[in-house]
């Protein structure tokens, strides 16, 4: 598990513990769809930068070539 994912999981566990202590109701089910998000949230700066570079390379390769 990457450090970024570990931070997300740890934050989730802390929030869940706090919610239980406050008597808040918790979600029991979560459903994720496979819809593509053209502008995803940045969970990890390194991962975000890698994604940006990959998109720039793909866009440059598919751009029309001029002589």
């Amino acid at each position: 598990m990457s450090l970024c994912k570990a931070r997300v999981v740890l934050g989730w566990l802390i929030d869940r513990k706090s919610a239980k202590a406050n008597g808040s109701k918790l979600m029991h089910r979560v459903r994720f769809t496979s819809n593509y998000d053209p502008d995803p949230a940045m969970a990890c700066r390194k991962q975000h930068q890698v994604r940006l570079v990959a998109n720039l390379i793909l866009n440059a390769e598919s751009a029309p070539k001029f002589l």
Side-chain angles (χ1 to χ4, degrees), residues 5-50:
K5 290 179 184 176
R7 286 183 193 159
V8 170
V9 170
L10 182 60
W12 182 83
L13 290 173
I14 292 170
D15 290 345
R16 184 174 170 90
K17 185 177 179 182
S18 298
K20 277 187 169 182
N22 294 334
S24 299
K25 291 186 176 185
L26 300 173
M27 294 185 299
H28 294 284
R29 293 183 185 171
V30 177
R31 181 178 177 185
F32 297 99
T33 62
S34 61
N35 293 338
Y36 173 75
D37 185 1
D39 189 23
M42 181 175 65
C44 175
R45 184 176 310 265
K46 182 177 178 182
Q47 179 183 5
H48 183 71
Q49 290 172 340
V50 168

Side-chain angles (χ1 to χ4, degrees), residues 51-64:
R51 184 179 293 130
L52 285 176
V53 170
N55 285 338
L56 286 173
I57 292 170
L58 288 174
N59 290 338
E61 289 175 352
S62 62

